[in-house]
Amino acid sequence: MNDARPNNDSRIVLEFRIKGMDFTTAGEAATGIKRTMTQLGMPADMIRRVASATYEAEINVVIHAHRGCLVAKIGPERIEICVEDEGPGIPDIDLAMQDGYSTAPTHVREMGFGAGMGLTNIKRCVDQMHLDSVVDKGTTLRLLFFSKGRE
Amino acid sequence: MVKLVEVVEALELCPQGSYDPERPVKAGYVGDLLSDVMAHAQEGSLWVTMQSHQNIVAVAVLVGMAGIVITGDRPVKPETLETARREQVALFSASSRSFEVCGRLFACLKDKE
């Protein structure tokens, strides 16, 4: 974890740096967020949804981007996750959102990543999701979770 | 409720570090695609896989697995052992293949129902 601080509106803000192709630290953002949510006594199903979506988002940056930054704003009623990366971007978002579609290299797939399930897993876990991408620049993914379920 | 130590004995698993023998094993899951495991494995499961790299530990932590069984006598990398120790994830290896390990795990969980 790179930074953790209380926000002025009582939300906890966690920031993580993610390096492309660095599988040694992959998952640190998701596990750090899960740990904080567990300490805060948040509901188990909410923790699972946030942890799963964050992990997939984090792994996407590791596999596809040069580097990225993940910021989590954790409040009692809503959690926002924003993942920004510098990388090749996504030329066709609709295609990328299709279950099973993947551009991950073979050595990554052999590790059990890159099965083309990441974005669909994220969609299943979140209440709101916004994906913006510019080819050859990078991708921004914003995720929103409500503790009382979907609004 | 089946305890982890009962499963370890019934399946002849080889512990790769310390584990809590009393930890309940609520279910099992088998898979080598991490996204599939992440999406569908139940909290408290014993996860049967042939993946042995260190990233399996984060998946086990995020799901809340009772432990991981690496099958087919695949060598466990030192960094996987170290990550599992640090994150307190129970790690085991099995000489048999995933199919056989799952068959025995299923029988073990059914027996104790």
Side-chain angles (χ1 to χ4, degrees), chain B residues 3-15 19 46 92:
Chain B
K3 294 175 186 171
L4 190 50
V5 65
E6 295 175 306
V7 175
V8 170
E9 284 168 7
L11 276 62
E12 299 170 274
L13 303 177
C14 181
Y19 70 96
L46 191 62
F92 306 93

Side-chain angles (χ1 to χ4, degrees), chain A residues 53-124:
Chain A
T54 307
Y55 184 72
E56 296 287 5
E58 194 179 355
I59 292 298
N60 278 348
V61 175
V62 174
I63 295 174
H64 299 287
H66 308 312
R67 65 190 68 79
C69 178
L70 188 151
V71 179
K73 294 177 182 170
I74 302 169
E77 285 172 8
R78 58 186 267 156
I79 292 182
E80 292 172 47
I81 308 276
C82 181
V83 191
E84 277 183 275
D85 74 48
E86 294 168 39
I90 304 170
D92 186 338
I93 288 179
D94 289 339
L95 186 59
M97 290 295 299
Q98 281 181 19
D99 201 17
Y101 178 80
S102 175
T103 58
T106 307
H107 72 278
V108 167
R109 291 181 196 232
E110 282 169 358
M111 292 171 76
F113 294 113
M117 299 167 71
L119 287 173
T120 40
N121 273 358
I122 292 171
K123 197 173 174 187
R124 196 177 42 80

Side-chain angles (χ1 to χ4, degrees), chain B residues 67-110:
Chain B
I68 308 171
V69 182
I70 299 170
T71 59
D73 254 344
R74 303 252 299 183
V76 185
K77 298 183 172 84
E79 57 268 29
T80 308
L81 294 173
E82 172 54 26
T83 311
R85 189 195 58 76
R86 196 176 62 235
E87 297 291 341
Q88 296 178 301
V89 168
L91 193 63
F92 306 93
S93 62
S95 54
S96 38
R97 303 278 168 190
S98 297
F99 178 76
E100 189 184 328
V101 172
C102 288
R104 294 170 78 178
L105 175 58
F106 187 85
C108 183
L109 294 176
K110 280 281 168 203

